[in-house]
Amino acid sequence: MADILEIKNVSKTYNADGDSPVKALDGVDLNIAEGEFVSIIGPSGCGKSTLFNIIGGLIDDHDGEVLIDGHEVDGAHKDVGVVFQEESTFPWRSTLDNVAFPLEIEGIDKAEREETARKFIKLVGLEGFENHFPAQLSGGMKQRTAVARTLAYEPRIMLMDEPFGALDEQTRMLLGDKMLEIWAALNQTMLLITHNITEAVQLSDRVVVMSYRPGIIKEIIPIELPRPRTSEVIATAEFGTYVGKLWTLLREEASRGMAEAEASIAAT
Amino acid sequence: MTRLHKVPVIVGLFGLLACAVLLELAVNFGWVMEIIVPRPTDTVLSFPSLQEDMDLVGNFFVTLGMTAAATALALLIGLPFGYFLYRREAYGVAYEGWLAAAFSTPIVLLYPLFLVIFGRNHMTLIVMGCIPGAIPIAIQTRQGLLGVSKTLLNVGRSFNVSERDMFRKIMLPSAVPTIFTGIRIGVMYTLVNIVAIEYLIDFGGLGRIVSQMYDNFSIPETYAAIVAVILVSTFFYWGFGRVEKWLRPV
């Protein structure tokens, strides 16, 4: 399949007042094919979230290019839908109104946007909770609301920054299954930012391993586990092999990150 | 009204009634001097005479109207000024401390100055009521907008939301609870100032009645007028609660 997303030589340096500049990303190159499920994994401080913000159009001042279908994008793009790590549902809107939000912004009439919103609410398994407010939902349900809201925007690329990072492991695995169902149903391109190795292996076609600061791509591991896939795959020996391989790659980077963080604390 | 909403109202009224009964007993048994605190029943029974002698209802609406006008003016000044202080960070940082300091000063003591400027009329009441009301509204508007979650703003950006919709559909609803905290504080200070100035200059509504009844040693009537002030306060508290609920249901 043709590449839908191309990240070309992307670098980003943060210049904080009074501090020395921090190079978060250094020459990242990555191509993602249409319909592919790719995870980006790395230790804290590897620039995952910076890369997420650059692809999502939330950071403009970076070096290099982000191209969709060969065209450079600048700022938020209709083809890229974003799901955030933090709680991002609007507390004052019901599930239905949250999911319908991007359609409301596009000026679609109420009946049509509610019909579309209901379709995606059903897809994420929240049927019956349309009139509930976020405060009445569990953490997993809130994140599914956020996923449905992004799906309602009908982007070609779903960009997710540790969307289930705040959830417990079991809920996270079950929601991983749900994401695989959605991916199979909509055939979207999925780009997941995560620090969870099992989640990356469970879901992805390829896992991109990033180094500790400055973030560069250390290795790309194709995951050749059979599809359709569910969380039951974690019981297989092959799954364990992938997890072991990824941890071997990440261990050195994570240790470097931890040592640097401790040195920084000791210096203060 | 749902059960969840009814219960606190019933509990509140019951508590009020229980306090009134205890006070009645305390006065009857001589634990509290009647010349300082009247029996609640005497206070209630004084309402008709107060209406006849001092037009209590009419003055209730005078104080209510003055408070409404001063609050409207406070909103007209406080909300845009708070937004300005949010948009212009340097001004916000520079002036918030000064505003907080001004809020804690007893502006009511400047009433002779305002009498000289505006005269002994309603304008003095409205302007002096508006000043302590506008300050917390401005401060809380700035704080409410500063407190909007960065993630929610990023959600808006990711959906290509225009500046106008970002303000209307994300920032404002997000900041509503904090802004309304400022409005509630503001309206209470506005009312306190208006009643205090009515009392001091013997002009206007309920404050003037309190002043005159107090000077006549008509203690039950004094308390009845204070109860009427509490009703004005309750009206605004309830009213702004309804508006907040309408703007942000949850």
Side-chain angles (χ1 to χ4, degrees):
Chain A
M1 273 199 183
D3 289 336
I4 183 171
L5 178 67
E6 294 168 73
I7 298 159
K8 286 189 172 173
N9 199 27
V10 166
S11 300
K12 169 71 187 167
T13 302
Y14 289 103
N15 295 301
D17 288 343
D19 292 326
S20 52
V22 175
K23 192 153 204 172
L25 292 172
D26 189 12
V28 172
D29 284 299
L30 180 66
N31 285 14
I32 295 171
E34 186 142 28
E36 198 177 13
F37 201 130
V38 175
S39 291
I40 296 176
I41 194 165
S44 297
C46 75
K48 300 187 295 283
S49 294
T50 300
L51 186 58
F52 168 89
N53 285 326
I54 289 171
I55 300 168
L58 305 173
I59 292 179
D60 295 328
D61 55 337
H62 60 85
D63 296 324
E65 294 174 316
V66 175
L67 300 107
I68 293 173
D69 289 334
H71 302 289
E72 189 174 358
V73 293
D74 187 20
H77 193 277
K78 173 75 181 115
D79 282 336
V80 182
V82 179
V83 181
F84 295 88
Q85 178 183 7
E86 304 85 8
E87 167 60 48
S88 69
T89 50
F90 300 122
W92 57 91
R93 284 175 170 255
S94 66
T95 302
L96 185 67
D97 287 341
N98 257 294
V99 176
F101 178 77
L103 308 170
E104 188 181 319
I105 293 300
E106 286 183 345
I108 293 166
D109 73 75
K110 194 168 186 245
E112 191 183 337
R113 69 180 185 242
E114 286 191 357
E115 191 188 330
T116 309
R118 283 179 201 282
K119 185 177 89 180
F120 288 105
I121 286 170
K122 189 178 176 186
L123 189 68
V124 298
L126 285 177
E127 214 174 6
F129 294 94
E130 290 86 349
N131 296 319
H132 284 59
F133 286 88
Q136 299 167 303
L137 303 176
S138 68
M141 292 162 96
K142 284 181 206 172
Q143 281 305 70
R144 277 188 280 164
T145 303
V147 168
R149 181 178 60 193
T150 306
L151 289 171
Y153 193 48
E154 302 197 18
R156 290 167 64 207
I157 302 165
M158 278 283 276
L159 181 61
M160 297 179 285
D161 184 12
E162 302 188 35
F164 312 127
L167 307 178
D168 65 84
E169 188 64 20
Q170 292 159 30
T171 308
R172 184 205 293 254
M173 280 197 281
L174 292 173
L175 289 181
D177 286 346
K178 180 56 79 180
M179 284 313 300
L180 287 174
E181 279 174 38
I182 292 167
W183 177 61
L186 300 178
N187 197 30
Q188 276 173 320
T189 305
M190 298 272 192
L191 182 56
L192 173 72
I193 309 282
T194 183
H195 61 253
N196 187 300
I197 301 174
T198 52
E199 185 177 62
V201 177
Q202 178 193 346
L203 302 177
S204 314
D205 294 318
R206 286 189 297 156
V207 178
V208 178
V209 181
M210 291 188 70
S211 71
Y212 180 68
R213 195 176 296 150
I216 57 168
I217 292 178
K218 187 172 184 179
E219 200 162 329
I220 298 176
I221 308 287
I223 307 293
E224 286 162 356
L225 294 170
R227 297 235 190 233
R229 212 183 281 169
T230 69
S231 52
E232 287 175 4
V233 76
I234 68 167
T236 64
E238 283 169 288
F239 187 91
T241 306
Y242 281 119
V243 170
K245 193 172 179 180
L246 283 165
W247 176 234
T248 306
L249 288 165
L250 277 171
R251 192 170 185 280
E252 185 191 338
E253 301 304 325
S255 301
R256 212 153 58 83
M258 198 163 78
E260 198 166 300
E262 285 172 359
S264 165
I265 291 167
T268 56
Chain B
M1 197 185 261
T2 63
R3 190 176 175 276
L4 188 69
H5 293 97
K6 271 182 193 165
V7 171
V9 172
I10 293 166
V11 169
L13 288 173
F14 181 79
L16 203 61
L17 194 66
C19 286
V21 169
L22 285 174
L23 186 60
E24 187 87 15
L25 291 172
V27 177
N28 280 340
F29 287 122
W31 299 333
V32 175
M33 287 170 70
E34 197 179 344
I35 199 163
I36 299 171
V37 181
R39 289 181 188 83
T41 47
D42 289 341
T43 302
V44 171
L45 291 172
S46 70
F47 274 103
S49 61
L50 201 57
Q51 172 60 27
E52 199 171 313
D53 298 341
M54 300 293 298
D55 186 18
L56 180 68
V57 174
N59 281 293
F60 171 88
F61 283 109
V62 168
T63 299
L64 190 121
M66 288 299 101
T67 309
T71 303
L73 193 59
L75 286 167
L76 280 174
I77 296 167
L79 290 173
F81 189 53
Y83 180 72
F84 168 79
L85 294 178
Y86 159 74
R87 288 299 297 245
R88 301 293 176 95
E89 196 187 349
Y91 289 94
V93 173
Y95 288 123
E96 194 174 277
W98 288 103
L99 282 173
F103 182 56
S104 63
T105 55
I107 293 165
V108 69
L109 297 180
L110 294 174
Y111 78 94
L113 174 72
F114 285 83
L115 283 177
V116 171
I117 298 170
F118 297 105
R120 188 171 168 272
N121 55 37
H122 292 309
M123 187 54 80
T124 298
L125 295 174
I126 292 171
V127 172
M128 287 204 72
C130 149
I131 294 169
I135 294 172
I137 293 171
I139 292 174
Q140 291 298 103
T141 299
R142 176 172 183 262
Q143 287 301 326
L145 294 170
L146 282 175
V148 177
S149 152
K150 198 168 174 250
T151 304
L152 296 189
L153 296 174
N154 277 337
V155 169
R157 284 190 199 107
S158 75
F159 290 132
N160 265 319
V161 170
S162 65
E163 283 282 313
R164 187 167 161 266
D165 279 345
M166 187 75 96
F167 184 76
R168 277 193 324 133
K169 293 182 187 285
I170 297 179
M171 293 176 71
L172 198 56
S174 192
V176 155
T178 312
I179 294 174
F180 269 78
T181 302
I183 292 175
R184 282 201 192 87
I185 296 169
V187 77
M188 293 308 133
Y189 273 80
T190 294
L191 176 62
V192 166
N193 269 261
I194 284 175
V195 172
I197 298 156
E198 285 175 344
Y199 183 97
L200 287 167
I201 68 173
D202 198 21
F203 179 83
L206 296 171
R208 184 175 61 98
I209 298 181
V210 173
S211 166
Q212 289 190 6
M213 293 300 106
Y214 185 72
D215 288 345
N216 294 343
F217 294 104
S218 305
I219 303 304
E221 285 78 4
T222 304
Y223 277 78
I226 292 170
V227 168
V229 174
I230 293 170
L231 290 177
V232 175
S233 164
T234 307
F235 169 79
F236 281 106
Y237 199 86
W238 171 83
F240 280 114
R242 300 294 298 176
V243 175
E244 183 183 2
K245 195 88 182 156
W246 173 66
L247 284 171
R248 187 172 155 165
V250 177

